[in-house]
Amino acid sequence: MKFRIAGVLAALTLSFSGAAAAQDQTPEQELAATTALLMQKLNLLGEAVGIEEPMLPADILTSALAAALPMLPAGDARDWNSSFSFDFKTDVTTGTLEADEEGRTVLTDARSCAADEAAAEVVHFTRFTRGEVRGHRCIIAADSNGVRVLQSQTFAQGPDRRLTAYYGVATVVEGDPAETRRLMDEHLDQNVALAGTLADYALEMFLSRQAGETRNEKAFAVRVERLTERLAEIAAVFEAAP
């Protein structure tokens, strides 16, 4: 698995800019737009695996994003920018999966996470097994041209399906690398939690209907409810902030 930190910034889709940069939207409007984009991407995954519901609550997801995205306080005149992205790739077949063109495998330890990025720090690593599906989540942080980047990849593979879920955040305070790092580190736990929650939601949809079988709707709904509770816990950090 290759993170390619140098290419992350081009993939980050929405930005939240500081006071010195011209902007047409308020931070609240930008958060709402990000939530809408996330819902759209998750809907696409649902359509791909034959699921029309349920969706994560938009209001809780918006608040969770507000807790996770690094932002300077209102009125801070310094130039700053934070960007965010979430995406996924799936392969599902009724037969046997073809070999993956990138040669991805389920990693066995955290050292393998950053094998292609010697300067990156592994901030979270976990493995999981769900029936015949095995996977891992790897989250790394690195600096690229003054920008602090946090990137998560969740990879899962079974006999008939494969999923990669990607989550990325980048932030910069112009001319102040120490403040850039502090700002990202201040939101590290929230980002690790949110990256995991979104990836787990994608994974639940991905696993909820085995090829040729009817999914267990009750069990799926219970798991989604638990993920919603996790989102609410992340959002509570934002609500409690001074």
Side-chain angles (χ1 to χ4, degrees), residues 1-14 34 37-39 41-42 45 61 65 69 82-90 102 104 113 117 128 136-142 144 147-156 162-171 184 191-203 206:
M1 180 177 64
K2 296 182 179 180
F3 280 91
R4 301 184 183 92
I5 286 294
V8 169
L9 301 183
L12 295 172
T13 55
L14 289 179
T34 305
L37 177 63
L38 277 174
M39 302 291 274
K41 287 181 177 292
L42 292 173
L45 178 58
L61 183 54
L65 282 166
L69 288 171
S82 287
S83 300
F84 168 83
S85 180
F86 175 77
D87 213 340
F88 60 86
K89 178 182 178 182
T90 61
E102 295 184 8
R104 288 171 295 177
C113 286
E117 290 288 346
F128 55 85
H136 67 260
R137 176 172 302 120
C138 179
I139 304 179
I140 65 174
S144 178
V147 180
R148 186 71 174 167
V149 178
L150 182 78
Q151 182 168 305
S152 169
Q153 285 189 3
T154 299
F155 177 69
R162 183 186 294 123
L163 168 72
T164 301
Y166 163 87
Y167 175 104
V169 173
T171 194
M184 180 70 86
N191 274 291
V192 169
L194 184 56
T197 301
L198 291 175
D200 285 348
Y201 182 72
L203 185 64
F206 181 67

Side-chain angles (χ1 to χ4, degrees), residues 12-27:
L12 295 172
T13 55
L14 289 179
S15 334
F16 299 79
S17 301
Q23 59 179 16
D24 297 326
Q25 291 184 312
T26 65

Side-chain angles (χ1 to χ4, degrees), residues 42 45 51 54-62 64 86 130 137 154 163 190 192-208 218-236:
L42 292 173
L45 178 58
I51 296 174
M55 283 285 105
L56 297 169
D59 58 338
I60 297 178
L61 183 54
T62 300
F86 175 77
R130 292 282 299 277
R137 176 172 302 120
T154 299
L163 168 72
Q190 295 96 312
V192 169
L194 184 56
T197 301
L198 291 175
D200 285 348
Y201 182 72
L203 185 64
E204 289 298 339
M205 290 200 292
F206 181 67
L207 296 176
S208 65
K218 184 176 180 180
F220 178 62
V222 168
R223 292 191 180 103
V224 171
E225 183 177 356
R226 289 173 181 167
L227 291 175
T228 301
E229 291 173 354
R230 281 166 54 184
L231 273 181
E233 290 174 358
I234 302 169

